[in-house]
Amino acid sequence: MKALIKPLALAALLAAAGAQAQTVLKIGYATSQASHYGVGSTVFCEEMEKGTQGRYKCQQFPNSALGGEREQIEAVQLGTQDIVNTSTGPLGNFVPEVKIVDIPFLFRDYDHARKVMDGPIGQDLQKKMEAKGLINLAWTENGFRHMTNSKRAINQATDANGLKMRTMENKVHMDGYKTFGILPTPMPFPELFTALQQGTVDGQENPIPVILSSKFSQVQKHLSLTGHVYSPAALIISPNVWNKLSAADKAVFSEAAKKGAAAQRKKVNDDENNGIAQLEKEGMQVVKQVNGDSFRKAVAPAYAGYAKEFGADKIAAIQAVK
Ligand code: PAF
């Protein structure tokens, strides 16, 4: 009997020690767990847990359960939240240099955007973030933004004139959208569905994965594939957590983040390819052939302001990436 108890007690002790050694990290994002943010975050968490043999695991908080993106970035910076998977929309309020990537019609397409974010320009922005206490493990992705509204089809820029549209709390976006004649109404994302339902705003703009996962087809009739701005995203970890990791664990987290980013971008691609038909099925009227030149022409004067703020050379360097 004695001989049996000893190994059992030892196993219990070891299990308790193992349980004690597990650190649970809180990760938050704006949309559902089935969305692009959820897919990217889940792959990151699984890889990170596997690579650390379960010493680290995630507790996921989808659907803005930890607040709007601005609040979550602030919490990660302060160390009261561990990780956030967020668009760059509110990030410029913490790291002004990042705002350059939010310029409308800056990126030609997904290939261009991903090359810039993963290349020296994106890496330089990651360093600027680190200096502000935000460790960006990888550029994930939100996607190219398109306009929805409850009033009319938008075929060209003049059709957007006078529409009251919710925008992110992002001055670079707002300055650009004003040139389309839109009345920008900045608002945190968690308030948006109700604002659309109650008609506080006529419309909003977001990538297809967000329009799908947030069920905007229930409250918006028109979708126009304007693709007027690329919306990058970032998987940001708090220095509170990062600085305590061993070099080997840091490498595991970084590799897991790369895999998470790839999965998130794939989900964006899949939603772009299949989601528009789904939204039509749900009753949305979709303008697929938008007059993009009318929007590009309208926004051109705003580029003088962007050049003054960020440097014409910096904008040209992004545009020149092939
Ligand atoms: O519109 C926004 O605020 C963002 O695109 C969202 C939906 C929070 C995702 O990053």
Side-chain angles (χ1 to χ4, degrees), residues 3 19 36 97 103 112 125 133 147 168 199 212 231 235 255-256 263 307:
H36 54 327
E97 294 90 340
I103 295 178
H112 179 211
L125 293 175
M147 294 178 192
M168 284 199 274
L212 272 174
S231 182
L235 191 67
E255 200 47 41

Side-chain angles (χ1 to χ4, degrees), residues 18 32 47 65 72-73 86 108 119 122 139 175 193 198 200 208 216 218 237 246 257 261 270 290 299-300 311:
S32 72
E47 291 293 323
Q72 292 196 56
I73 295 168
T86 175
R108 294 183 297 276
W139 291 109
D175 287 348
F193 190 90
Q198 295 180 346
T200 317
I208 299 297
F216 287 155
Q218 292 178 3
I237 191 164
S246 67
D270 292 348
V290 174
V299 83

Side-chain angles (χ1 to χ4, degrees), residues 195-210:
L196 293 170
Q197 198 168 38
Q198 295 180 346
T200 317
V201 288
D202 302 318
Q204 64 88 45
E205 42 80 58
N206 250 304
I208 299 297
V210 175

Side-chain angles (χ1 to χ4, degrees), residues 30-31 37 69 87 142 145 166 168 189 205-207 210 231:
T31 49
Y37 281 106
E69 288 186 329
S87 77
N142 194 17
R145 302 177 79 87
R166 177 270 175 180
M168 284 199 274
F189 185 70
E205 42 80 58
N206 250 304
V210 175
S231 182

Side-chain angles (χ1 to χ4, degrees), residues 8 47 54 57 87 110 117 143 150 152-153 160 171 175 194 219 227:
L8 281 178
E47 291 293 323
K57 66 178 281 189
S87 77
Y110 278 106
M117 301 315 291
S150 58
R152 55 182 174 263
K171 196 172 169 302
D175 287 348
T194 309
V219 284

Side-chain angles (χ1 to χ4, degrees), residues 25 27 37-53 56-58 83 85 136-140 234-237 242 245 247-265:
L25 301 175
I27 176 167
Y37 281 106
V39 168
S41 300
T42 300
V43 168
F44 164 71
C45 291
E46 285 171 357
E47 291 293 323
M48 180 267 280
E49 187 174 347
K50 202 164 64 183
T52 60
Q53 294 80 41
Y56 288 90
K57 66 178 281 189
C58 291
I83 308 168
N85 194 349
N136 179 359
L137 293 177
W139 291 109
T140 56
L235 191 67
I236 308 173
I237 191 164
W242 185 248
L245 295 179
D249 283 346
K250 278 183 181 165
V252 169
F253 274 54
S254 298
E255 200 47 41
K258 262 193 216 154
K259 289 190 178 150
Q264 189 159 327
R265 288 174 179 182

Side-chain angles (χ1 to χ4, degrees), residues 160-181:
N161 192 31
L163 289 175
K164 195 171 171 194
M165 277 213 192
R166 177 270 175 180
T167 68
M168 284 199 274
E169 298 157 286
N170 181 306
K171 196 172 169 302
V172 173
H173 282 185
M174 288 164 67
D175 287 348
Y177 302 171
K178 278 182 200 156
T179 68
F180 309 147

